[in-house]
Amino acid sequence: MIDSELKKLVYVYLVRYAEEQQDLALLSISTFQRALKDPNQLIRASALRVLSSIRVPIIVPIMMLAIKEAATDLSPYVRKTAAHAIQKLYSLDPDQKEHLIEVIEKLLKDKSTLVAGSVVMAFEEVCPDRIDLIHKNYRKLCNLLVDVEEWGQVVIIHMLTRYARTQFVSPWREDAVFDENSEKAFYDSEEERRVDQSKPYIMDPDHRLLLRNTKPLLQSRNTAVVMAVSQLYWHLAPKHELSIITKSLVRLLRSHREVQYIVLQNIATMSIQRKGMFEPFMKSFYVRSTDATHIKTLKVKTLSYLHVSFLLTYVKSQDKAFAAATIQAIGCCATNISEVTDTCLNGLVLLLSNRDETVVAESVVVIKKLLQTQPSQHSDIIKHMAKLFDNITVPMARASILWLMGEYCEHVPKIAPDVLRKMAKTFTDEEDIVKLQIVNLAAKLYLTNSKQTKLLTQYILNLGKYDQNYDIRDRTRFIRQLIVPNEKSGALSKYARRILMAPKPAPVLQSAFKDRDRFQLGTLSHTLNSQASGYLELSDWPAVAPDQSVRNVEVVEPVRLPCIYLRLVLNCFCVHVESVSESESKENSDDSNKSSSSQSEKSSSESDSEKKKKTLKNKKLQQQKPDSKDRQKRIRSTCLRIMQHNYSLNYYLPPQIIQKTLNIMTKYILIHIVLSISTPFFVNCMCSLLHLCVFLACQFDAVSWPVHVSLQASSPVFVPETSHELLHRMTGKGLSAQYRFTRQPCIYGNSMVSLQLTLSNSTDQALENIHISEKSSTGQNIHRFNAIERLEPQASVTVSMGVDFNDSTQAANFQLCTKEDEFSVSIQPAVGELLLPITMSEADFTKEQGKLVGMNESSATITMMPENVSSQSVNRKVVSVANLGVIPSGQENIYRFAGKTVSSGSLVLVSVALKDPDAVITINTEKTVMGSMLLRQVKTAVQGM
């Protein structure tokens, strides 16, 4: 134990300094290679992590070999580390891409939730364009998504978003028909696909599967997961289903300001396209005094798409930047919503009398842009701004007023010359931006009202000619040559009025989030409004959906032995046993006769002492056992020889079944038979096992068939009588349904959970043809009960069914139908109902528990009252929560329970150790997610005693 901990510390040190001290790291490579074979999975993973952290190109082949071996490791934690190492190796040597893709393809088939997120991250880094690698694993990833760790969920969701945009057609059509349980594609032939525009849209079942399986993640505690699901729905879901993400996004606004900033940016982008999406939650966007300035600004921009009246109240804020952003938001409202343009403009005019220069200046700038849309109707506003001109000191605001005076000087012919007179007095003291607008105003008044402004214009042009700023000097000389014709002026002076007084298009006040919808929501590129390095664009929806059969995974069904094979096996077995028994009886009789005659002949010559010596020698020979390797070879050859005697069996059975039978016979005999192979009785045993082994070969895969000597299935210790509501009578129009878990092995399949359904008819009319729709598709394999032809009024019937939950607590959704109606129902399993009880000895329990440590072990400590603790109460509480078997324990205050998962058969071990006044609950299993969920339930049950 101390050695393992020391190794971990050394590995942590090397990970930190491997790149800085490469020579030191290179000297330890041989140690890492040995550590890759260590029995402890944490040591193997740490060795691979350090090896992949050494940034030296010379060891790339060693790293590549280590990653390939780790990808096939029995521990999912090591395989997860191998997926992380893929990215490091690719960054070190991109030429290894093809070899790494092979490893990624293998890891994508991994069924462990611990590996899924890491391998998808490696896929996104190495080969994000290889969509073909996802086809066969798409449905598996969708079903595993709810059990994957949180950061893995984010990566998988973003990848599946891009995948869906390439494989499904757009659901944003007006003639869309959304059937959540449709499994059949709408178009069946190439001719029908050509006329797809005349057909209504029906959502692909795989498209619906992705939306259905990501919807529960909106309740995740991780804000990144919620944001990832929200962007998936925004880019993939039908428009009428987007409302389900609003509550989750609004909930995130209670988080830290960093989270609020990202969420508000995405909400602002959504609000531009769908203005009424967040209207029911308008109060959540009210600005608080404790909000940071950038949060206030984003909230105001969001409110500008929801309501205008609230914005004017924020102009009085002491935060100058926030007040300016509010005025800009009001301008956006006036531009985008024509109904409130006059209201916004009047409110901005009132702000011109504000004491705050920043508010006045920003109001002037916004009013200037608004007046360009309707200049003739707002001459009074221009006059009012001219009166306030002397009190405005902000250069941008003064420049904006001068520009308005010059642009619409014909609408204010009496005021504009007077403003120019005032500007001529203060020209030398003004800012550069104001001087430029003074020159422009003088030029425009010279062209429209030269009698009053000719001398003022010449005076201003003379001042500008000698200004210190070269931009102002150049502008002054250009204007002089343009408006004052002389001998040197060309033909351009004829068009001076057209040039200076040309109508100018009104500016569009649009939000900074207007063009951000070109980026995928929730990405760094969307936050920065600029394409970041490594950004992968979402493709457009395909016009015609690609072939959906590429996602069909070939399910390798166990080979079932036909009846003719069973009869042949039994016949061959009987015939062979009879022939063997007859030949053995003859051999035994001959041997006895020969031995008796030989013994009679030698009896006279042998003495009693010699007989005793021979007897002792024979006993010693019988006690000697052959070598284990030699015994295995001899057993396998004997099995092969016995199988070769059955010519008819070899003729009818496929070769692969014969090979599996041979493997199972050898394995079974090596474990269970301890007899010598030379005895005739052993050969008889071999023959009698033949038909059993052939049957096993046809039922299971010999390579993955586990032979547990001491693990035996047992009956459930406790069967709950509690029923759960499947369908309420009001929802089911009189039909009600309840289900309960029987905790018995399912007769419909070894990987299925057995369920009992009770259907009741509370109406006064009979219900006909009650059944489960065949269109139901949730990713789980469901064995449906036989259709009930007729259920009389006020009658009930109990049926059984099986569901393969695939060791996941994800609900099984299906359609419960009658002759006239269909009802969507779901069965939500508890993690304890996904187990089957087993029995074993205490020594085997300890041995198996020692194998499942580290990442496969989870524990918790609780405090209990001593007077409530007893063996019966502890056992009762644990077995009521989970379908586990009770293991006899020779130690006081330690209670052990064992079971296996129904689908995969993974071992689940539970122990409760009472240490006054605490109790330590430990769960060991390869299914880490199930282990943590089961720990919480057992902890709650035991603590409530």
Side-chain angles (χ1 to χ4, degrees):
M1 183 68 181
I2 296 177
D3 187 30
S4 299
E5 295 298 330
L6 183 60
K7 284 183 179 179
K8 295 176 186 176
L9 291 175
V10 173
Y11 289 163
V12 171
Y13 174 82
L14 289 174
V15 167
R16 173 64 180 82
Y17 296 101
E19 190 169 355
E20 298 177 5
Q21 302 180 10
Q22 296 182 0
D23 295 339
L24 176 62
L26 287 174
L27 293 175
S28 57
I29 288 179
S30 59
T31 305
F32 299 147
Q33 290 177 306
R34 289 195 301 270
L36 290 172
K37 305 295 183 182
D38 194 276
N40 191 331
Q41 60 176 351
L42 298 179
I43 298 297
R44 298 198 302 272
S46 299
L48 180 61
R49 187 180 299 110
V50 178
L51 187 63
S52 59
S53 299
I54 301 176
R55 313 291 294 174
V56 181
I58 195 173
I59 65 169
V60 166
I62 299 176
M63 292 171 59
M64 189 71 242
L65 182 61
I67 291 174
K68 287 184 177 180
E69 291 180 356
T72 59
D73 196 278
L74 294 177
S75 170
Y77 181 68
V78 179
R79 300 197 297 271
K80 176 186 179 74
T81 307
H84 291 165
I86 290 175
Q87 306 171 55
K88 299 179 183 179
L89 180 55
Y90 179 71
S91 63
L92 180 62
D93 186 6
D95 294 337
Q96 301 292 327
K97 180 176 180 179
E98 295 302 324
H99 299 289
L100 293 175
I101 290 176
E102 296 177 2
V103 182
I104 291 174
E105 184 176 8
K106 182 185 299 181
L107 288 175
L108 281 172
K109 300 176 182 177
D110 200 301
K111 296 182 179 180
S112 175
T113 56
L114 197 64
V115 184
S118 300
V119 66
V120 171
M121 188 66 187
F123 169 83
E124 292 284 80
E125 183 72 22
V126 178
C127 52
D129 55 332
R130 288 291 304 273
I131 297 296
D132 57 296
L133 299 180
I134 306 299
H135 289 323
K136 297 293 184 182
N137 303 286
Y138 171 80
R139 294 170 184 168
K140 183 197 72 175
L141 290 173
C142 290
N143 293 324
L144 290 180
L145 192 58
V146 70
D147 294 324
V148 177
E149 48 92 16
E150 293 172 336
W151 295 112
Q153 290 174 345
V154 175
V155 176
I156 295 175
I157 290 173
H158 280 281
M159 184 273 294
L160 292 179
T161 303
R162 291 192 303 104
Y163 176 87
R165 287 292 289 260
T166 63
Q167 300 300 312
F168 309 126
V169 294
S170 174
W172 304 335
R173 285 173 49 178
E174 296 181 357
D175 58 347
V177 178
F178 300 99
D179 181 7
E180 294 193 3
N181 301 295
S182 62
E183 290 183 344
K184 184 180 179 182
F186 186 83
Y187 307 116
D188 295 328
S189 64
E190 293 295 333
E191 295 180 358
E192 290 178 344
R193 291 182 183 178
R194 296 172 186 171
V195 293
D196 63 335
Q197 297 299 326
S198 62
K199 302 285 187 177
Y201 165 84
I202 296 181
M203 181 173 284
D204 190 289
D206 288 329
H207 192 173
R208 175 58 62 187
L209 176 67
L210 176 59
L211 296 176
R212 185 189 303 116
N213 287 10
T214 53
K215 182 179 178 180
L217 297 181
L218 288 171
Q219 308 300 323
S220 176
R221 296 175 298 177
N222 191 301
T223 55
V225 176
V226 178
M227 193 66 248
V229 177
S230 300
Q231 65 85 24
L232 181 140
Y233 264 79
W234 178 259
H235 293 295
L236 300 181
K239 298 298 184 183
H240 69 275
E241 297 183 18
L242 290 178
S243 58
I244 67 174
I245 68 174
T246 54
K247 287 185 179 180
S248 300
L249 290 175
V250 171
R251 174 171 60 88
L252 298 183
L253 296 179
R254 305 188 188 102
S255 302
H256 302 290
R257 60 177 61 180
E258 296 82 7
V259 176
Q260 293 182 43
Y261 180 73
I262 300 298
V263 174
L264 284 170
Q265 279 191 327
N266 289 273
I267 289 178
T269 302
M270 295 179 184
S271 301
I272 292 174
Q273 298 186 18
R274 297 183 63 84
K275 294 182 174 59
M277 186 172 174
F278 292 92
E279 279 187 359
F281 307 97
M282 190 184 302
K283 293 183 179 180
S284 300
F285 300 98
Y286 288 172
V287 176
R288 300 179 181 179
S289 59
T290 56
D291 289 337
T293 301
H294 61 281
I295 301 298
K296 293 179 181 178
T297 304
L298 285 172
K299 284 187 175 181
V300 164
K301 290 180 179 178
T302 305
L303 283 173
S304 66
Y305 295 99
L306 303 177
H307 209 282
V308 183
S309 59
F310 293 99
L311 299 180
L312 293 174
T313 61
Y314 296 143
V315 176
K316 301 177 182 179
S317 174
Q318 298 298 323
D319 191 338
K320 307 303 180 184
F322 171 56
T326 303
I327 296 173
Q328 293 176 5
I330 294 174
C332 290
C333 287
T335 304
N336 298 326
I337 308 174
S338 59
E339 293 82 0
V340 298
T341 301
D342 294 337
T343 304
C344 294
L345 196 55
N346 293 332
L348 292 173
V349 170
L350 294 176
L351 294 177
L352 295 177
S353 303
N354 196 289
R355 296 180 180 179
D356 192 343
E357 294 181 357
T358 306
V359 174
V360 175
E362 198 66 37
S363 301
V364 170
V365 174
V366 175
I367 290 174
K368 168 211 165 186
K369 296 178 180 179
L370 292 178
L371 289 180
Q372 289 184 254
T373 58
Q374 298 174 339
S376 60
Q377 301 179 11
H378 299 289
S379 58
D380 294 338
I381 296 177
I382 299 176
K383 293 177 182 179
H384 181 67
M385 294 174 67
K387 293 178 182 179
L388 298 174
F389 184 79
D390 294 338
N391 299 325
I392 298 175
T393 59
V394 178
M396 179 56 73
R398 292 174 68 86
S400 298
I401 294 177
L402 292 174
W403 185 91
L404 284 173
M405 291 293 175
E407 187 69 16
Y408 307 114
C409 59
E410 295 178 352
H411 299 284
V412 284
K414 295 182 180 180
I415 296 178
D418 190 53
V419 172
L420 182 63
R421 178 182 59 80
K422 293 181 179 180
M423 289 296 98
K425 294 180 180 180
T426 61
F427 182 87
T428 56
D429 299 329
E430 299 289 345
E431 296 290 335
D432 294 342
I433 188 174
V434 180
K435 290 179 180 180
L436 291 174
Q437 293 303 326
I438 294 174
V439 173
N440 289 339
L441 175 61
K444 293 177 181 178
L445 288 175
Y446 181 86
L447 295 174
T448 59
N449 190 4
S450 60
K451 292 182 180 180
Q452 291 182 325
T453 60
K454 182 177 181 180
L455 295 177
L456 281 174
T457 303
Q458 291 179 355
Y459 176 73
I460 291 173
L461 292 178
N462 289 332
L463 291 176
K465 180 179 180 180
Y466 301 101
D467 195 86
Q468 296 180 355
N469 190 299
Y470 62 86
D471 286 336
I472 297 175
R473 296 197 300 268
D474 291 345
R475 176 72 64 85
T476 302
R477 290 165 183 157
F478 169 73
I479 293 295
R480 184 186 295 274
Q481 295 296 325
L482 185 64
I483 65 174
V484 182
N486 52 36
E487 297 178 356
K488 297 181 180 180
S489 301
L492 191 63
S493 60
K494 300 178 181 179
Y495 305 98
R497 187 179 181 85
R498 290 187 181 182
I499 294 174
L500 294 176
M501 305 300 294
K504 300 172 181 61
V508 179
L509 292 175
Q510 63 179 17
S511 172
F513 300 92
K514 185 70 175 179
D515 58 342
R516 294 200 184 197
D517 56 354
R518 58 195 174 102
F519 297 112
Q520 184 177 351
L521 296 185
T523 60
L524 179 62
S525 298
H526 176 269
T527 303
L528 301 177
N529 198 18
S530 176
Q531 184 166 337
S533 176
Y535 174 73
L536 300 174
E537 293 186 359
L538 284 178
S539 61
D540 295 330
W541 295 101
V544 178
D547 184 14
Q548 63 176 355
S549 63
V550 296
R551 292 183 292 276
N552 295 334
V553 181
E554 296 181 2
V555 180
V556 181
E557 296 289 342
V559 182
R560 300 295 180 184
L561 189 64
C563 297
I564 183 174
Y565 290 169
L566 287 175
R567 289 198 296 268
L568 284 171
V569 169
L570 294 175
N571 293 336
C572 296
F573 161 70
C574 297
V575 172
H576 186 70
V577 170
E578 291 177 359
S579 62
V580 171
S581 60
E582 290 177 359
S583 61
E584 288 178 353
S585 61
K586 291 181 181 180
E587 291 176 358
N588 292 335
S589 62
D590 294 340
D591 292 340
S592 61
N593 293 333
K594 290 179 182 179
S595 60
S596 60
S597 60
S598 60
Q599 286 177 2
S600 60
E601 292 175 356
K602 295 180 180 178
S603 59
S604 58
S605 59
E606 291 181 351
S607 62
D608 295 337
S609 60
E610 292 177 353
K611 289 181 179 180
K612 292 180 179 180
K613 291 180 180 179
K614 289 184 177 181
T615 304
L616 293 174
K617 185 178 181 181
N618 291 333
K619 288 182 178 180
K620 290 180 180 180
L621 290 174
Q622 291 178 0
Q623 292 176 355
Q624 292 178 354
K625 295 182 179 180
D627 183 70
S628 60
K629 293 183 179 180
D630 182 55
R631 181 172 58 201
Q632 184 174 354
K633 292 181 180 179
R634 294 168 66 185
I635 289 177
R636 189 172 182 85
S637 62
T638 305
C639 294
L640 183 60
R641 187 168 63 253
I642 291 178
M643 291 190 67
Q644 289 174 350
H645 284 301
N646 294 271
Y647 300 108
S648 59
L649 189 64
N650 294 334
Y651 179 78
Y652 284 100
L653 287 178
Q656 62 269 23
I657 298 300
I658 296 176
Q659 185 63 31
K660 291 180 181 179
T661 304
L662 179 60
N663 294 337
I664 293 179
M665 286 183 69
T666 306
K667 183 185 297 185
Y668 189 88
I669 292 164
L670 285 173
I671 295 175
H672 292 281
I673 305 298
V674 199
L675 299 174
S676 175
I677 65 171
S678 61
T679 60
F681 179 75
F682 178 77
V683 178
N684 275 336
C685 291
M686 294 279 287
C687 296
S688 63
L689 287 172
L690 178 59
H691 74 288
L692 175 61
C693 294
V694 172
F695 180 78
L696 291 174
C698 295
Q699 298 295 322
F700 306 102
D701 186 358
V703 177
S704 61
W705 180 54
V707 180
H708 297 290
V709 180
S710 56
L711 302 184
Q712 298 178 2
S714 62
S715 58
V717 181
F718 174 81
V719 179
E721 297 295 334
T722 306
S723 297
H724 308 275
E725 187 176 67
L726 182 66
L727 179 64
H728 192 268
R729 59 185 179 84
M730 298 298 293
T731 308
K733 298 181 180 180
L735 175 64
S736 63
Q738 292 184 331
Y739 68 91
R740 74 180 188 90
F741 296 92
T742 63
R743 292 194 173 184
Q744 299 290 340
C746 186
I747 61 175
Y748 306 118
N750 295 328
S751 61
M752 289 187 173
V753 176
S754 180
L755 292 161
Q756 189 178 78
L757 266 63
T758 301
L759 306 171
S760 303
N761 182 6
S762 59
T763 64
D764 55 357
Q765 296 180 354
L767 298 176
E768 298 181 354
N769 192 20
I770 302 175
H771 64 284
I772 295 178
S773 174
E774 295 182 357
K775 296 182 180 180
S776 302
S777 175
T778 61
Q780 296 99 336
N781 183 18
I782 299 177
H783 186 279
R784 303 169 180 84
F785 59 84
N786 294 330
I788 302 172
E789 296 182 358
R790 184 179 179 87
L791 183 59
E792 298 297 333
Q794 307 302 323
S796 299
V797 63
T798 301
V799 295
S800 61
M801 63 179 294
V803 180
D804 185 358
F805 289 100
N806 197 23
D807 292 344
S808 171
T809 56
Q810 182 180 359
N813 303 306
F814 55 91
Q815 297 284 329
L816 185 62
C817 308
T818 61
K819 185 178 180 180
E820 299 177 352
D821 300 299
E822 293 185 359
F823 310 102
S824 297
V825 296
S826 63
I827 296 178
Q828 181 70 51
V831 65
E833 305 299 340
L834 303 178
L835 307 174
L836 287 177
I838 60 174
T839 181
M840 63 173 69
S841 64
E842 185 178 2
D844 290 335
F845 184 96
T846 306
K847 180 180 178 182
E848 295 294 335
Q849 191 178 35
K851 298 177 182 178
L852 299 171
V853 294
M855 299 293 294
N856 297 326
E857 181 177 278
S858 54
S859 60
T861 303
I862 60 175
T863 302
M864 300 178 60
M865 300 300 294
E867 59 271 13
N868 296 334
V869 176
S870 65
S871 60
Q872 293 181 353
S873 60
V874 173
N875 291 343
R876 183 177 65 256
K877 289 293 184 181
V878 174
V879 299
S880 64
V881 170
N883 189 16
L884 297 169
V886 180
I887 305 301
S889 177
Q891 298 174 291
E892 295 183 357
N893 298 332
I894 296 182
Y895 308 95
R896 296 182 173 91
F897 310 87
K900 63 178 181 179
T901 59
V902 177
S903 183
S904 62
S906 299
L907 194 61
V908 179
L909 304 177
V910 180
S911 62
V912 180
L914 302 181
K915 300 177 181 179
D916 190 24
D918 298 331
V920 180
I921 304 173
T922 306
I923 296 181
N924 302 82
T925 179
E926 291 182 355
K927 300 287 185 178
T928 54
V929 177
M930 292 186 65
S932 61
M933 297 173 65
L934 183 60
L935 177 63
R936 289 196 296 268
Q937 295 187 7
V938 173
K939 177 182 175 181
T940 304
V942 176
Q943 200 169 18
M945 294 191 330

